[in-house]
Amino acid sequence: MKTRYSHGGDEHIFVEMDEEMSLDAFFKSLSMTNALREAKIDGVTEICPANASCQVKFDPDVIAPDAMLEELKKLEDVAEAAEKRMTTRIVEVPVFYQDPWTHETLMRFRERHQDPSGTDLDYAAKINGFDNAEGFIAAHHANPWFVSMVGFVSGLPFLYQLVERERQLQVPKYLRPRTDTPKQTVGYGGCFSCIYSVRGAGGYQMFGITPMTIFDPKQEVSYLRDFMVFFRPGDIVKFSPIDRDEYDRILKEVEAGTYTPKIAEVDFDLEAFNADIAGTNAKLMEALDGA
């Protein structure tokens, strides 16, 4: 991977690990931001990791832009040599696929879509070689996903599927963004799935909705009282399909403060994953059985 550095005005440096998203690029970005925090360089005010990149904000009155750039380049070797493993958590996220709320929304915006004749799932299935929407849905929840970034809007996770590159599901975003997307919609754009943390505009294809709140600025939801954002980079997600009755039941529990997300602590080793993707995924998902 060829790392590219670029200045953003006088106060930012953008570090791009690779033009393509990959777990190798993510781990290098994560290692570099960890090394930067540990270095405690005077003048650094903010460190923002992303999918395959990171951005650093600094005070140019404390450290000059060129000096900041040199410090970052020194840390690149540290990032390359760092172990690509972490202790993290796997989370089960219930999803009501083909729900009525995202369906109503997507039908309102068909003129902005590549294929106005069907639904977002119909289109996703067709371009990925599935016979129907059900086949695509099965592929979407069959394997776990890696949270590579949280942001764009508060609490929104970008999720990268843990499968071989040739098996990656890919679906382009809408031709023109919508002005409305239901809160907690499970969407897809490019190689990333996501969960919309708030209601608002959006361009990702819409496949379903989760009753599990993932962002609560008031911190009233029982499992978000310590921090308003549920996901963090490095989390692993297992989507679990549910029906309308299960959706309603979980939603009531969330609102009553009695719902607890299903979570298990796991170790993720990139080298072991690359050597045996299916075996690694099976072990990750088995960890949820005892949670």
Side-chain angles (χ1 to χ4, degrees), residues 136-281:
F136 182 90
I137 290 170
H140 188 262
H141 67 72
N143 290 285
W145 297 74
F146 194 92
V147 177
S148 57
M149 171 181 161
V150 179
F152 188 72
V153 296
S154 298
L156 183 150
F158 285 78
L159 300 128
Y160 183 76
Q161 196 173 32
L162 294 176
V163 295
E164 296 83 353
R165 200 166 190 84
E166 60 271 15
R167 293 178 58 207
Q168 285 281 340
L169 301 172
Q170 295 191 54
V171 191
K173 294 187 285 185
Y174 274 44
L175 297 175
R176 288 189 295 128
R178 300 177 303 275
T179 56
D180 190 23
T181 308
K183 176 184 175 182
Q184 288 156 215
T185 289
V186 175
Y188 212 109
C191 69
F192 292 105
S193 199
C194 81
I195 304 171
Y196 282 79
S197 52
V198 297
R199 182 178 182 179
Y204 277 28
Q205 310 283 338
M206 296 184 290
F207 299 157
I209 199 164
T210 177
M212 181 179 146
T213 299
I214 62 168
F215 173 63
D216 178 21
K218 295 182 179 180
Q219 293 180 249
E220 295 173 344
V221 173
S222 58
Y223 53 88
L224 293 176
R225 286 178 183 147
D226 292 335
F227 190 53
M228 67 181 72
V229 173
F230 181 78
F231 289 108
R232 50 186 182 246
D235 279 346
I236 297 170
V237 169
K238 173 66 176 74
F239 290 123
S240 178
I242 58 173
D243 59 17
R244 176 63 186 268
D245 288 344
E246 185 74 354
Y247 175 89
D248 290 342
R249 183 189 67 78
I250 294 173
L251 186 61
K252 286 181 181 178
E253 290 185 6
V254 172
E255 292 170 346
T258 59
Y259 182 73
T260 301
K262 197 172 183 180
I263 301 171
E265 184 177 283
V266 293
D267 292 319
F268 185 85
D269 185 312
L270 182 59
E271 184 176 340
F273 171 79
N274 287 332
D276 182 10
I277 293 176
T280 301
N281 285 347

Side-chain angles (χ1 to χ4, degrees), residues 103-140:
H103 180 78
E104 184 278 330
T105 303
L106 68 87
M107 294 308 292
R108 280 193 279 128
F109 293 96
R110 293 327 285 164
E111 80 283 356
R112 304 184 183 210
H113 195 272
Q114 291 89 343
D115 185 1
S117 65
T119 68
D120 291 7
L121 271 167
D122 292 335
Y123 174 69
K126 181 172 65 176
I127 66 172
N128 281 277
F130 295 95
D131 292 334
N132 50 45
E134 286 70 23
F136 182 90
I137 290 170
H140 188 262

Side-chain angles (χ1 to χ4, degrees), residues 7 17 23 38 49 56 62 73 80 82 84 88 97 128 130 133 153 160 188 196 203 213 216 227 234 243:
H7 288 281
M17 306 303 168
L23 289 175
E38 292 170 5
V56 181
V62 177
K73 288 182 176 180
E80 288 278 14
K84 305 300 189 291
T88 185
Y97 290 97
N128 281 277
F130 295 95
V153 296
Y160 183 76
Y188 212 109
Y196 282 79
T213 299
D216 178 21
F227 190 53
D243 59 17

